[in-house]
Amino acid sequence: FFSAKRPLLLSCIFIGSAFLSAAAPAATTHPDFTEAELQFIDHSPTIHYSEVNWKPLSDIDSLPTYGGMIADYLAIILHQSGVRLEFVYAGQSWQDVLNKYNRHEIELIPAVAKEDKIGRPFLYTDPYVVFPLVIVTRPDVDFICETGKLSGKKVGVGKGYTSSHFLKNKYPDILLVET
């Protein structure tokens, strides 16, 4: 999940991640990095990143401490690689994070899908976590076992989120209401 300006070697660093702090000590051992990768890590600037409140994955309620499962993954990467990361508050919406990325104010968005419409080139890692799309309804609505059964119905989705892009592409007859 890196800007196209970053070398591909960083994508291998971010396959298992979370945020300790910008002042976290560099790890003393590195997992099978080449000499070129180690030099890049030692000489690269701090990588700025952002996310939204997306609990339990991402928690920005206690900033400057960034929390959640994504933060835990990033902490592992920081510890094992010595890469320097700094969380940058972008705002409350996913679009705020994307805008910050497109203005080159951050270099990393740690949880995106290839289906997301980011706005400028991105380097992607293999997924380090995958979550199924779920359908949540009011208590008075029968269980919906297939997404296709929502054809012709209004469905609320987060604006710009992976689920929105997925439903637009795979189920164009669903009437999406982006929030």
Side-chain angles (χ1 to χ4, degrees):
F1 302 74
F2 291 94
S3 158
K5 291 182 182 180
R6 298 273 182 208
L8 284 174
L9 70 95
L10 280 181
S11 63
C12 71
I13 295 170
F14 281 86
I15 300 176
S17 27
F19 183 76
L20 290 175
S21 78
T28 56
T29 60
H30 302 282
D32 297 328
F33 291 129
T34 67
E35 188 60 36
E37 290 168 335
L38 290 172
Q39 286 182 12
F40 176 83
I41 291 168
D42 289 343
H43 295 97
S44 68
T46 298
I47 298 169
H48 301 92
Y49 72 100
S50 194
E51 260 297 347
V52 295
N53 237 2
W54 192 27
K55 296 174 187 173
L57 298 177
S58 176
D59 184 352
I60 63 172
D61 282 342
S62 299
L63 294 176
T65 301
Y66 174 60
M69 292 170 59
I70 294 168
D72 294 339
Y73 278 107
L74 292 175
I76 294 167
I77 289 170
L78 288 174
H79 178 72
Q80 290 185 354
S81 71
V83 168
R84 291 167 297 281
L85 296 177
E86 181 179 330
F87 184 87
V88 176
Y89 178 76
Q92 289 296 321
S93 76
W94 180 240
Q95 192 60 52
D96 292 335
V97 172
L98 297 180
N99 290 343
K100 214 162 221 4
Y101 177 76
N102 286 313
R103 290 190 307 262
H104 301 267
E105 296 174 21
I106 59 174
E107 297 82 33
L108 170 70
I109 304 172
V112 295
K114 289 183 179 177
E115 295 81 13
D116 288 339
K117 300 204 182 325
I118 303 300
R120 72 179 173 104
F122 233 59
L123 296 177
Y124 294 90
T125 66
D126 291 334
Y128 56 87
V129 65
V130 177
F131 294 96
L133 181 64
V134 297
I135 300 168
V136 180
T137 65
R138 293 184 310 266
D140 62 327
V141 175
D142 288 337
F143 177 73
I144 299 169
C145 62
E146 296 176 27
T147 308
K149 297 203 181 242
L150 295 170
S151 181
K153 305 234 186 294
K154 287 184 181 180
V155 174
V157 292
K159 185 175 184 172
Y161 277 62
T162 303
S163 55
S164 176
H165 300 300
F166 172 80
L167 291 172
K168 280 180 190 175
N169 292 331
K170 301 285 184 182
Y171 300 94
D173 294 334
I174 294 175
L175 308 173
L176 298 180
V177 178
E178 292 189 308
T179 59

